[in-house]
Every structure is written in structure tokens, then in C-alpha cells.
Amino acid sequence: ARESLREVQMTLGSLFLSLYTTIFNNSNNNSHKTITSIISPNCFTKMKTHAGSGLSTPLSFLKKAESLFQKAVVTVKELDALHNKSSGVQHLSVKSNLNDIVIRRTLLLLRGRALTNLGISRVEQAECSHRDIAAAASILSSVHNRHHSSSMDNNKNNNIPKEIVRKGITVLKAAQEATHTMHQQYEALKQPQFDLGLSHTQQQVLRTTRQEAILDSIHALQLESLACRWHGKALWILGMYKEAASMLDIAAGGKGRGSSSCHVSIKELNSKSTTFGAVMEATFLYLVERYYGAMSLIDLATTSVEQCCPIKQGKRGSELISLACRGYTRAAVLSREIVNHVKKYQSSTPATNVVDEYGISAEQDLLNAT
């Protein structure tokens, strides 16, 4: 029952988050009219009933998503506690039941996903609040003179998004820790001592468990990349540009665990394995996620250059342009890897169709941008 509840919480939270992203890109449209052009009026009525209050503003969607993801985190914690109580096993060891290992790995992945989505909803809230503040300030400045906009009020408003961002960073760090634990468990599961004293049937089960663990490991890599991307974006909002760039490098697979672990995992997988196709699909999505990490660095750097005042465009502008170029170079490499992967493992689908669907720019176009 709790697993079904968690699934509903994550699905609804993701829906509110997706609708926020889709609907409010066009602020000129009436929100209710725009919503019902995407989903049925009946579905929207149910969403409003579930939310308990109006969904008339962008922030209301994000707050509802945050609430649902928070509940999902709690539900996963409850599932973990129930499993600990029923199994009595607290740590991964040679004597651990393989089913117990699989359940613990699954719970870590579910926890990481809930925490990542919670972090995203909070960072999005910060940006939404910042836009609202900027819009209000623009209206005030057009009506009043500068004397009416006190620096104290502005400082107070500017602190609001930053507080939400810090809360987002906290849970995004926790999500990254969950993926790190998954990687550690995957490496531990590969140790030869697990094979000692097992019957032939048990060895077959262990082999299957290891192959399934490869798929979960790549899911963890993709999740880590997503969490790092939003962590980097959050750090950028706080003005911690160097730390943000480093985090986005990790998101793009530029350093740290990155692509090497993924490639090693693929080599360990038998092409006749029942999980082979799923692993190839997961690897593709992981490469795409890394590409988005590189593109985030480009977007943040170029936007900051445009917003930088002429007086500060010297050294600061050069640093930002350098970061953007780094992002373009990394994105170009990933674009090539994505195309090659599709050609090798998804030959039935034209590579151009796949890259267009996921918004992947051509390698040469990215290199030309540098």
C-alpha cells in the first residue's frame, strides 16, 4: 500500500512540476485556459480538488509539487524502516540475502529520485519568486520614483529565493549521497567472495542479480547527473560561480565517476542478457542527461554575460565566455557519443530522429559556436 502511495505522490508531483514548466512559459495566456488545452477539464478539476486550493499562480504549482515530493521522501523512509524490521539485515555482507540487496538498492534509487525532484521544485520556486519580485519592482519603478523603492525592502526580497535555494541544495546533496551508496553497493556486489559456498542455482541467481545491478547503476549515474545539474544551477543562483561550474562539469561527466563507470558496466554485460536492451536505453538517457548538464553551463554563462553591466564585462565577461566555450566543447563530445550510441545499439531508429526528439545539436554546430 505504501509503495502505491509513493508512486501516486511522485506521479502527481511530477505532473504539477511538468505543468508549471509547460504552462507558464507563456505568461500572456490565462492559466486556466492554457491548462485545459493541455489536459482535460475533468482532470484539472480533480487536480484542483487534490490541491485543496487554487492553482492560479505558477508558484502554487511548485509548492504543490514540493509538498508531494516531501511526502514521497517520507513514504520511502517508511518503506525502508518496514524492510529493516522484516529482514533484520542492516548492512550489505556476503551472508545477505540477494533479494534483500535488490530491495535496498531499489529503495535507494526511489529515495534519490524523490529527493532530486524535491530539490528541483525548490530551485524552481526560487527562480519563480525572483521573477515575481523583478516584475513587481519593474511595475513600481514605472509608477514611482527611485525614492519609494528602499534598499531595505529589496534586500529582504532578495533573501527569499536564496533561502529556498539553500533548502534545495540540502536535498540535492542527499540525493547525490544516495546514488553514491548505490555505486558502493554495486562495486561490493561484484566482489568474488559473494560466489563462495553457493550452489549452481544460487550462482545463477547471483549472476542475474549482478546484471540487474548494472542497469540500476546506470540509472543511478543518470540520477546523479540530474541532481548535479540542478545543484550547479542552485549554486549559480547563489553567486557561487566557480563551485557551480565544477558541479556542472560533474553533471556532464567531465570528471568524477562519469562515463568510464558506464562503459565498464556495459562491457560486463552479456549481449544475450535479458537486461541488455534496457541497459542500452538507460545508457542513452544517461548520455542525454550529461549533454543537458553541459548545455546548462552554456545557458547560465551566456545569460550572465548578457546581464553583466559594461563596467564589469572585462575580466568577469572573459571568465563567463570561457565557461560557455568549455560547455560547448563538452556538449560537442557528448553529441557525438549520443549519435554513435544510437547508430550502434538503436539501428532501427534513424539517429537524426532521436537527436531531434531530445533536442541534441549537431557536433559541428556546437564546435562552431566556440
Side-chain angles (χ1 to χ4, degrees):
R2 279 186 173 84
E3 169 53 24
S4 297
L5 176 62
R6 182 209 61 83
E7 187 175 353
V8 169
Q9 289 165 341
M10 288 294 291
T11 301
L12 278 173
S14 298
L15 180 59
F16 280 110
L17 197 58
S18 297
L19 285 172
Y20 161 77
T21 303
T22 304
I23 295 165
F24 294 104
N25 283 338
N26 187 353
S27 59
N28 293 326
N29 290 339
N30 175 272
S31 59
H32 183 274
K33 181 180 179 181
T34 310
I35 292 168
T36 53
S37 68
I38 298 171
I39 60 175
S40 69
N42 183 48
C43 180
F44 179 60
T45 300
K46 290 180 180 179
M47 286 179 64
K48 289 181 71 175
T49 302
H50 178 81
S53 59
L55 294 171
S56 57
T57 66
L59 198 57
S60 64
F61 276 75
L62 293 173
K63 285 186 177 295
K64 189 58 194 175
E66 179 189 20
S67 173
L68 286 161
F69 292 137
Q70 280 179 316
K71 291 175 182 177
V73 171
V74 172
T75 303
V76 174
K77 187 176 181 180
E78 291 172 349
L79 286 168
D80 190 42
L82 284 171
H83 179 66
N84 286 336
K85 185 177 179 180
S86 62
S87 67
V89 180
Q90 297 298 323
H91 300 288
L92 185 68
S93 68
V94 176
K95 295 181 180 180
S96 297
N97 182 277
L98 291 178
N99 185 54
D100 174 75
I101 295 172
V102 172
I103 292 173
R104 291 185 184 282
R105 193 173 65 234
T106 301
L107 288 171
L108 278 169
L109 188 59
L110 295 179
R111 170 178 163 79
R113 285 172 174 166
L115 287 167
T116 299
N117 282 5
L118 177 57
I120 291 172
S121 68
R122 287 176 174 174
V123 176
E124 289 277 33
Q125 279 187 64
E127 292 197 309
C128 182
S129 298
H130 180 71
R131 284 193 293 268
D132 288 346
I133 292 167
S138 177
I139 294 171
L140 285 173
S141 63
S142 66
V143 176
H144 302 286
N145 58 39
R146 293 184 181 180
H147 177 73
H148 290 87
S149 298
S150 69
S151 59
M152 182 176 66
D153 288 339
N154 287 336
N155 290 335
K156 181 179 179 181
N157 284 335
N158 288 335
N159 287 333
I160 297 173
K162 290 181 179 180
E163 182 182 349
I164 301 171
V165 171
R166 292 189 184 99
K167 289 181 179 179
I169 288 176
T170 299
V171 293
L172 288 168
K173 283 182 177 179
Q176 290 167 245
E177 289 171 3
T179 63
H180 294 168
T181 304
M182 283 190 68
H183 293 310
Q184 291 170 0
Q185 290 193 359
Y186 170 63
E187 293 300 323
L189 187 61
K190 294 193 299 182
Q191 298 306 309
Q193 62 261 33
F194 270 94
D195 299 271
L196 299 176
L198 295 180
S199 66
H200 176 70
T201 301
Q202 289 173 326
Q203 286 178 346
Q204 288 182 319
V205 173
L206 177 59
R207 193 179 303 114
T208 301
T209 302
R210 282 172 170 163
Q211 290 182 342
E212 291 172 347
I214 293 173
L215 177 59
D216 284 343
S217 181
I218 297 174
H219 283 153
L221 285 168
Q222 181 191 358
L223 182 62
E224 181 182 19
S225 179
L226 175 63
C228 287
R229 173 157 64 95
W230 282 90
H231 189 172
K233 190 172 184 178
L235 290 169
W236 194 281
I237 292 172
L238 294 179
M240 303 170 67
Y241 304 115
K242 184 177 180 180
E243 295 86 347
S246 296
M247 190 59 63
L248 289 168
D249 275 340
I250 297 173
K255 57 184 177 180
R257 209 165 278 104
S259 60
S260 59
S261 293
C262 186
H263 292 159
V264 169
S265 298
I266 292 172
K267 289 178 181 178
E268 294 170 353
L269 187 68
N270 190 315
S271 61
K272 295 182 181 179
S273 166
T274 55
T275 61
F276 186 79
V279 168
M280 294 305 102
E281 176 67 18
T283 303
F284 165 75
L285 294 174
Y286 168 51
L287 290 171
V288 170
E289 187 54 59
R290 287 170 55 194
Y291 173 86
Y292 292 158
M295 294 304 295
S296 288
L297 179 59
I298 296 168
D299 292 340
L300 290 168
T302 53
T303 301
S304 295
V305 169
E306 294 169 358
Q307 294 175 347
C308 196
C309 67
I311 298 176
K312 296 181 179 180
Q313 275 184 353
K315 182 180 178 181
R316 177 65 185 145
S318 298
E319 291 173 348
L320 290 168
I321 291 171
S322 177
L323 286 176
C325 289
R326 193 164 85 193
Y328 276 117
T329 302
R330 190 66 192 158
V333 172
L334 288 165
S335 175
R336 182 176 67 250
E337 288 188 27
I338 290 167
V339 171
N340 290 341
H341 182 86
V342 172
K343 288 180 178 178
K344 186 174 182 180
Y345 298 109
Q346 297 173 251
S347 56
S348 60
T349 306
T352 52
N353 291 2
V354 176
V355 296
D356 287 346
E357 180 182 351
Y358 286 87
I360 310 298
S361 298
E363 176 187 7
Q364 194 56 51
D365 291 343
L366 292 164
L367 290 174
N368 290 341
T370 61

